[in-house]
Amino acid sequence: MAAFHSPSTASSGMVLLLLIGFSMAAFAYGNFYHKFDVVWGDGRAVIQEGGDLLTLSLDKTSGSGFQSKDEYLYGKIDMQLKLVPGNSAGTVTAYYLSSKGDAWDEIDFEFLGNLSGQPYILHTNVFCQGKGNREQQFYLWFDPTADFHTYSILWNPERIVFSVDGIPIREFKNLEFLGVPFPKNQKMRLYSTLWNADDWATRGGLEKTDWSQAPFKASYRNFNADACVWSSGSSYCSSNKNAWFWEELNFAKKGQMKWVQNNYMVYNYCEDTKRFPQGLPTECTFADIL
């Protein structure tokens, strides 16, 4: 039998410090009680498991939603979601950054529900000064209802990148020098809602919500914001800001994004000439060559 040796006082102290540090990190980045406010739903949004899990639900009476306590001006935001399973036609799970006012900025993930056996559509959009119309839509290469997957927004002065499980699916570059507005001055909160949109969400509104399947439920965990937090009129950034503040897509990441767009994109406003008979938006012409 091996002899048992008690750890030294120094070793015990180091272990204790590591455990405290890990606990503080988990508290800072993962706890929904301390990072979010439930703002809508009359009890349909529920924080569980000591703050590690949040669920939204939708029934015929109401949906539900939450928002971040902090406001951000640039950042890298990660959240794991598990979407409404089964027949979710007519439902929308929205996960987005947004400012306030009539000329708001917004960066959108929206998950459009489906009939059982049909794929979800991931809808993305970027609003600048209250103007959107920059939609790109994708199918996913996995079942987003079977397990949690990570959906990320990178927002820095040069670009916005939408990613799924670390794979970039879309990039919106800062092309202000060409007259294209870019969100850079307005602080934004993170929001998520689960709501009924059966007038348009599934096959353009042809498929209505089947309320016999209610309540519909989406789940969230492992929130992380490595971001510049707005406070008292200024933004305060984490010490490792440079890891994302000037981040750009390398050759491998560009290849991943091309793979997604070639195989899973189902709508791109930059290819919709009927919608823009006077010519496609400026960024559609220049984004890929700059």
Side-chain angles (χ1 to χ4, degrees), residues 182-232:
F182 185 84
K184 67 173 188 177
N185 297 316
Q186 300 190 72
K187 59 189 183 294
M188 295 198 252
R189 291 189 194 275
L190 182 69
Y191 298 87
S192 191
T193 56
L194 175 57
W195 51 291
N196 179 47
D198 66 2
D199 57 332
W200 65 271
T202 307
R203 295 185 61 210
L206 294 178
E207 304 295 345
K208 301 301 183 182
T209 304
D210 180 359
W211 293 111
S212 70
Q213 305 295 315
F216 304 98
K217 183 178 292 186
S219 302
Y220 301 75
R221 71 180 188 188
N222 290 344
F223 165 72
N224 182 38
D226 189 355
C228 298
V229 177
W230 189 267
S231 178
S232 302

Side-chain angles (χ1 to χ4, degrees), residues 151-172:
Y151 303 90
S152 306
I153 296 169
L154 169 66
W155 171 37
N156 68 30
E158 297 298 326
R159 59 190 38 82
I160 295 164
V161 179
F162 299 80
S163 298
V164 178
D165 288 337
I167 298 174
I169 64 170
R170 177 181 183 179
E171 180 181 32
F172 184 82

Side-chain angles (χ1 to χ4, degrees), residues 55-188:
T55 59
L56 295 181
S57 63
L58 163 69
D59 57 35
K60 198 168 185 178
T61 301
S62 178
S64 52
F66 63 89
Q67 68 181 37
S68 63
K69 293 180 183 292
D70 291 328
E71 295 176 294
Y72 310 104
L73 187 58
Y74 300 131
K76 190 170 186 179
I77 309 293
D78 303 317
M79 183 83 82
Q80 289 193 325
L81 281 74
K82 184 163 65 172
L83 300 181
V84 175
N87 181 359
S88 58
T91 72
V92 174
T93 306
Y95 160 61
Y96 60 102
L97 288 165
S98 184
S99 63
K100 298 179 179 179
D102 294 334
W104 76 99
D105 294 338
E106 189 167 304
I107 304 169
D108 284 349
F109 277 111
E110 291 186 87
F111 303 90
L112 311 185
N114 59 7
L115 289 172
S116 297
Q118 299 298 313
Y120 261 82
I121 289 179
L122 171 52
H123 175 101
T124 66
N125 204 352
V126 176
F127 286 78
C128 302
Q129 296 293 308
K131 182 181 178 182
N133 299 326
R134 298 180 176 94
E135 301 91 345
Q136 290 184 356
Q137 296 181 338
F138 306 83
Y139 291 138
L140 294 166
W141 49 96
F142 53 83
D143 179 357
T145 73
D147 203 351
F148 287 90
H149 291 269
T150 302
Y151 303 90
S152 306
I153 296 169
L154 169 66
W155 171 37
N156 68 30
E158 297 298 326
R159 59 190 38 82
I160 295 164
V161 179
F162 299 80
S163 298
V164 178
D165 288 337
I167 298 174
I169 64 170
R170 177 181 183 179
E171 180 181 32
F172 184 82
K173 295 180 180 179
N174 184 342
L175 300 178
E176 285 186 304
F177 69 97
L178 294 175
V180 179
F182 185 84
K184 67 173 188 177
N185 297 316
Q186 300 190 72
K187 59 189 183 294
M188 295 198 252

Side-chain angles (χ1 to χ4, degrees), residues 2-22:
F4 173 77
H5 299 282
S6 62
S8 67
T9 302
S11 296
S12 298
M14 180 61 69
V15 171
L16 180 61
L17 285 173
L18 288 171
L19 289 173
I20 291 173
F22 178 80

